[in-house]
Amino acid sequence: MIDIKLLRNDPDIVRENIKKKFQDDKLPLVDKVIELDKEYRDSKTRAEYLRSQRNKISKQIGFFMAQGNKEEAEAAKAEVKAMQDELESLSSKEDTLAEEIRKIMLVIPNIIDPSVPVGKDDSENVEIEKFGEPFVPDFEIPYHVDIMEKLNGIDLDSARKTSGNGFYYLKGDIARLHSACLSYARDFMIDRGFTYYIPPYMIRSGVVDGVMSFAEMENMMYKIEGEDLYLIGTSEHSMIGKFIDAQLDESELPQTLTSYSPCFRKEVGAHGIEERGVYRIHQFEKQEMIVVCKPEDSKKWYDILWKNTVDYFRSLDIPVRTLECCSGDLADLKVKSCDVEAWSPRQKKYFEVGSCSNLGDAQARRLGIRIKGENGNYLAHTLNNTCVAPPRMLIAFLENNLNEDGSIRIPEPLRMYMGGKSVIEVPAK
RNA sequence: GGAGAAGUCGCCUAGCCUGGUCGAGGGCGCGCGACUGGAAAUCGCGUAAACCCCAAAAGGGUUUCGAGGGUUCGAAUCCCUCCUUCUCCGCCA
C-alpha cells in the first residue's frame, strides 16, 4: 500500500508506475481516490468541528449540573441533540469513505524500484546471473518420484488414501534427507547471524487479513472449523504478523530472522497441483528469512538475502540462477523481487525453488510497523526470502546428485545430518 | 474444560463502587536547566501516537485508558462480546 500523500501530491508518479506494470485499467482509480479523499477530508473536518462543539457543550452541562442549574443544563442538552443527526450521518459517511479509499489503495500497486525491468508478464522476466554449470549427465535422469521410489523413499498411494492428492509420505533416507536439508538450512542461517524462530503454525483471521489479500486468502488458506484460526501458508505470515502495530526502537534494527515451519496451501486454481509428485503440494516445509530494517538499508538486505539462498544451493552442488521479476509480473505490494531457480538436468531447464522480495514500506504501512526515530516515527521496510523449501527442493537435489546406478551423493555439508553417510544406496530388492 | 482476579501514558501505580473539574494524579526512568571546581544529591521545567484544518511555521481540533460494540448531552469509570495475563481445580504430550 502506497502513501496516500504521494498520490495527492504526485499523482503522475503513481500513474506512470501503473503504466509500467501494464495495469492501465487501474488508471481511473487514481482520480477516483483523489476525489474520495477530498470528500473524506471535508466531511472529517466538519465532523471534527461538530465533535469539538459537542465536547465543549458537554463540559458546560457538567458545570451547570454541579451548580444545580437544571434549566441551563437542559437547554444545553437540547442544543447538543440538535446537531446529533448531522454528526451521525457525517460519521458514517466518514467511515464509508475511509473504507472505500482503503479498498482502492490496496489495489494501487507499490512504486517499483527503478532497476526493475519493464515487461508484461512472466515471459519477460530477466535472468540476472547463473551460478554453477548446468550439467546434463550422459545417462537418463528419471522423474523425481521414480528416483525416490527406487530408493524406497516415498509412498504416494497411501497418502492419497489418507489425505488425498497433493500429500505424500516420505520415508527412510529420503525423509531423513528432507529433514537434513532443513536442519542444515537452519544452521546455515544461524551462522550468518540470523535469529532462529519457530513460529505459530496457525494464525487468527485478523492477522490473515493483514498479511494477504482476500483473493489470496480464499485460494491459499485452510481454515480450522469452529475456531478463528487458519493454517499458515508460510512462516512469513506469523513472522510478519508479530510486528503488526509494533513500534520498534532504532536500536532494535535490523531484525534478521530465520523461521522454520510447515506450510499449508489449498492451491485453488494453481497449475500443477494435479500432477503426480512433490512439485506442487498442499503441505511442505520451509526455512524462511525475514528482515525488518530502516528504509535506507532495504536494498542492501535484498541482495544479502537472495545471495544466501544461492550460497546454500551451491554448497549442495545444485546449479542455480536468479531471475528478476519484471514490472508486469511483480506483485502489487512489492518494490522488487527475484526468484532463485534450480537447474533440472531432466527437464534441461531451471525451476523456481525460492523467491526474494523487498516490500519497501508498503507492508509496514498496511500493518503499522513503525520505527521510533529521533525526529518522529517512520515506517520500516520489510523483506522476505526462501532459504529452502523441501520437498520441492529435493527434486533439484536428487536430479543433480544422482549417480547412474540410482544412488545419491550426499554433499559434505549435509553428511553430519545424515549420520555421516556420503551416499544413499539403492536398497537390494 | 471449570472457578476466580486483572489488563491505565517507556516501567510501576492512583482513579472505576458514587459517569462531568481525568488525556488522566503520583513514583521511577529519560531529556533540558539551575545549583557545583566537577559530580552525586537537591530543585525547576518537559516527557505518547495517529489523523484533520492552516501555503509553511505558530496555532487550533478530533481520536485513542487491552480490542470491538452499546447506554448517555458526556464513559478509564456503567452494560455486552472478544482477546490476553495471573491463581486454583481438572485433563494431557
Side-chain angles (χ1 to χ4, degrees):
Chain A
M1 190 154 90
I2 61 166
D3 191 348
I4 193 157
K5 283 188 197 132
L6 175 72
L7 207 142
R8 267 179 218 152
N9 302 332
D10 285 301
D12 283 338
I13 294 181
V14 179
R15 288 195 192 95
E16 272 314 300
N17 187 64
I18 290 175
K19 284 184 201 157
K20 270 202 223 167
K21 290 177 70 81
F22 300 90
Q23 299 184 353
D24 291 26
D25 53 317
K26 288 185 182 173
L27 283 172
L29 292 178
V30 175
D31 289 321
K32 172 91 176 162
V33 83
I34 287 172
E35 189 187 307
L36 288 174
D37 178 54
K38 178 85 180 68
E39 208 181 322
Y40 166 74
R41 285 186 293 159
D42 284 348
S43 53
K44 191 185 172 82
T45 303
R46 173 71 184 155
E48 283 181 358
Y49 169 75
L50 289 178
R51 280 193 201 104
S52 92
Q53 290 304 102
R54 185 195 63 195
N55 291 345
K56 217 180 275 175
I57 298 170
S58 288
K59 280 215 170 101
Q60 280 173 8
I61 294 174
F63 187 69
F64 291 137
M65 297 292 266
Q67 286 183 333
N69 191 341
K70 280 231 157 128
E71 273 169 43
E72 291 276 15
E74 286 306 319
K77 276 193 197 183
E79 205 178 330
V80 177
K81 275 227 163 96
M83 38 185 197
Q84 210 68 294
D85 278 350
E86 186 185 357
L87 187 56
E88 238 166 72
S89 80
L90 276 172
S91 292
S92 72
K93 186 176 170 191
E94 202 183 317
D95 292 347
T96 315
L97 285 169
E99 182 53 34
E100 263 182 79
I101 290 167
R102 185 180 161 78
K103 262 190 197 152
I104 297 178
M105 289 306 288
L106 285 174
V107 296
I108 289 182
N110 196 4
I111 308 298
I112 61 176
D113 192 79
S115 66
V116 172
V118 174
K120 219 172 171 52
D121 54 39
D122 59 354
S123 68
E124 295 188 65
N125 291 343
V126 176
E127 178 180 294
I128 302 296
E129 197 174 349
K130 282 184 178 165
F131 303 87
E133 255 323 288
F135 177 74
V136 180
D138 54 12
F139 56 89
E140 197 187 328
I141 309 267
Y143 189 56
H144 69 267
V145 177
D146 298 328
I147 298 176
M148 289 179 175
E149 278 177 345
K150 191 169 177 186
L151 296 166
N152 215 356
I154 191 166
D155 180 356
L156 289 172
D157 295 336
S158 298
R160 266 192 294 277
K161 197 161 68 182
T162 59
S163 314
N165 186 33
F167 294 91
Y168 50 88
Y169 286 88
L170 297 182
K171 46 181 186 166
D173 281 340
I174 296 298
R176 192 181 197 181
L177 181 66
H178 180 282
S179 306
C181 290
L182 288 162
S183 300
Y184 170 49
R186 175 198 64 212
D187 294 348
F188 186 91
M189 291 313 301
I190 291 171
D191 286 347
R192 295 194 170 199
F194 284 62
T195 305
Y196 181 51
Y197 269 75
I198 297 175
Y201 301 155
M202 297 183 209
I203 52 177
R204 293 212 174 97
S205 58
V207 179
V208 178
D209 284 339
V211 297
M212 72 182 75
S213 69
F214 182 75
E216 277 178 296
M217 182 168 158
E218 287 292 293
N219 291 330
M220 179 192 275
M221 301 296 276
Y222 286 105
K223 188 179 188 332
I224 305 295
E225 194 178 330
E227 309 265 342
D228 180 32
L229 286 173
Y230 290 78
L231 288 169
I232 56 173
T234 158
S235 57
E236 185 211 334
H237 295 153
S238 13
M239 294 304 290
I240 287 295
K242 104 190 185 73
F243 289 103
I244 290 177
D245 290 326
Q247 274 193 57
L248 302 162
D249 203 274
E250 278 180 333
S251 63
E252 299 174 75
L253 297 174
Q255 295 263 333
T256 55
L257 316 175
T258 183
S259 50
Y260 159 82
S261 85
C263 305
F264 303 95
R265 299 187 179 183
K266 291 207 292 202
E267 301 288 8
V268 171
H271 169 74
I273 185 66
E274 66 290 334
E275 237 168 59
R276 173 179 151 83
V278 295
Y279 182 78
R280 194 178 294 280
I281 43 200
H282 292 305
Q283 171 195 317
F284 60 95
E285 294 177 43
K286 182 153 63 83
Q287 190 69 33
E288 179 84 354
M289 310 168 206
I290 302 286
V291 170
V292 179
C293 68
K294 295 187 193 177
E296 63 268 31
D297 293 336
S298 66
K299 284 189 188 188
K300 178 186 87 185
W301 278 108
Y302 174 80
D303 286 329
I304 294 174
L305 289 193
W306 68 256
K307 278 177 187 153
N308 283 335
T309 306
V310 168
D311 291 346
Y312 174 86
F313 275 84
R314 290 304 299 134
S315 74
L316 299 179
D317 298 333
I318 301 169
V320 292
R321 69 166 184 177
T322 46
L323 186 74
E324 169 143 24
C325 230
C326 73
S327 60
D329 194 34
L330 198 59
D332 284 347
L333 208 56
K334 299 179 184 179
V335 170
K336 188 175 172 73
S337 94
C338 68
D339 289 345
V340 173
E341 297 193 325
W343 173 247
S344 166
R346 184 183 73 86
Q347 300 176 86
K348 299 183 185 58
K349 63 167 200 177
Y350 290 90
F351 66 97
E352 182 186 337
V353 287
S355 174
C356 182
S357 304
N358 180 0
L359 307 184
D361 65 5
Q363 190 172 42
R365 178 169 300 104
R366 194 169 156 180
L367 300 178
I369 305 174
R370 293 186 304 278
I371 304 173
K372 271 184 264 187
E374 290 277 306
N375 316 304
N377 295 357
Y378 55 99
L379 292 165
H381 278 206
T382 58
L383 306 98
N384 61 75
N385 180 33
T386 316
C387 182
V388 68
R392 179 187 286 186
M393 168 273 192
L394 292 181
I395 300 172
F397 182 89
L398 295 172
E399 289 187 7
N400 285 286
N401 287 289
L402 180 69
N403 295 314
E404 190 161 8
D405 64 0
S407 64
I408 303 292
R409 298 186 293 277
I410 307 294
E412 206 281 320
L414 230 42
R415 290 180 194 161
M416 63 177 282
Y417 301 101
M418 290 293 291
K421 273 190 196 189
S422 59
V423 66
I424 299 176
E425 300 284 2
V426 181
K429 288 220 292 179

